[in-house]
Amino acid sequence: MGKSINIISHSPEETVKIGTKIAPFIGIGKIVYLNGDLGTGKTTLVQGITSYYNCLQRAKSPTFIIISSYKGDIQVHHCDLFRINNSEEIFDLSIEEYLETGNLIIEWPEKASIYLPPPTLEINFKHTSSDTNRNIILYSENEELIDAI
């Protein structure tokens, strides 16, 4: 059935904390979809996930390289499909290989959703009337994950 929760983040620091709270539920082999306009906090949330897994590098938007991998307790693979031109390009990325060593966090999944496996967690980010606040909606079939947030 699945479950969702709506959270208002009041700052980038709160968004990072949300990332650290969900990280234990998205270990090796797990996929997360991040949906939302530019500047809504997607990469900031990934910084919380990489922090939880003790990754050595700070997560940055992978817009120009499609997939950035951060090595820590597990590898966090941060994928941005914004620049792909057609959904078949997803096959060139060998996504299954990334899931062997870590999780895969995908921004703009709708660009190739027909070929992507279903996510463990889907997160939607929206701007609010405040410059710093973000509306973050988390959805998962794993109700335990949502209850833990």
Side-chain angles (χ1 to χ4, degrees):
M1 181 100 191
K3 193 171 186 178
S4 66
I5 186 170
N6 187 5
I7 301 171
I8 300 294
S9 173
H10 301 285
S11 67
E13 293 79 19
E14 283 187 22
T15 302
V16 168
K17 285 181 186 177
I18 293 166
T20 61
K21 281 185 173 182
I22 65 171
F25 296 94
I26 54 168
I28 292 175
K30 305 296 184 187
I31 296 175
V32 178
Y33 289 177
L34 303 180
N35 302 298
D37 292 334
L38 297 172
T40 52
K42 297 182 299 290
T43 299
T44 302
L45 183 113
V46 174
Q47 290 171 355
I49 295 167
T50 57
S51 172
Y52 176 86
Y53 285 113
N54 299 307
C55 296
L56 302 175
Q57 296 173 290
R58 178 182 163 97
K60 299 178 197 168
S61 180
T63 301
F64 296 104
I65 55 174
I66 301 185
I67 298 180
S68 296
S69 295
Y70 302 100
K71 188 173 183 174
D73 298 336
I74 70 168
Q75 288 192 343
V76 176
H77 305 289
H78 184 196
C79 178
D80 188 330
L81 300 180
F82 185 76
R83 297 214 185 283
I84 67 169
N85 294 316
N86 66 59
S87 56
E88 286 79 22
E89 289 180 48
I90 194 78
F91 297 117
D92 295 333
L93 300 177
S94 301
I95 284 179
E96 299 80 19
E97 292 177 21
Y98 289 100
L99 296 173
E100 294 172 8
T101 60
N103 57 28
L104 182 61
I105 302 166
I106 303 173
E107 294 189 33
W108 305 97
E110 66 275 11
K111 300 278 269 180
S113 60
I114 190 169
Y115 299 117
L116 291 171
T120 303
L121 175 65
E122 186 164 359
I123 306 173
N124 296 302
F125 295 79
K126 295 182 181 178
H127 289 286
T128 66
S129 57
S130 166
D131 287 342
T132 56
N133 291 359
R134 298 294 183 262
N135 187 17
I136 302 173
I137 304 161
L138 296 93
Y139 173 81
S140 179
E141 292 293 327
N142 179 350
E143 294 185 13
E144 182 181 324
L145 187 160
I146 299 300
D147 290 341
I149 302 299

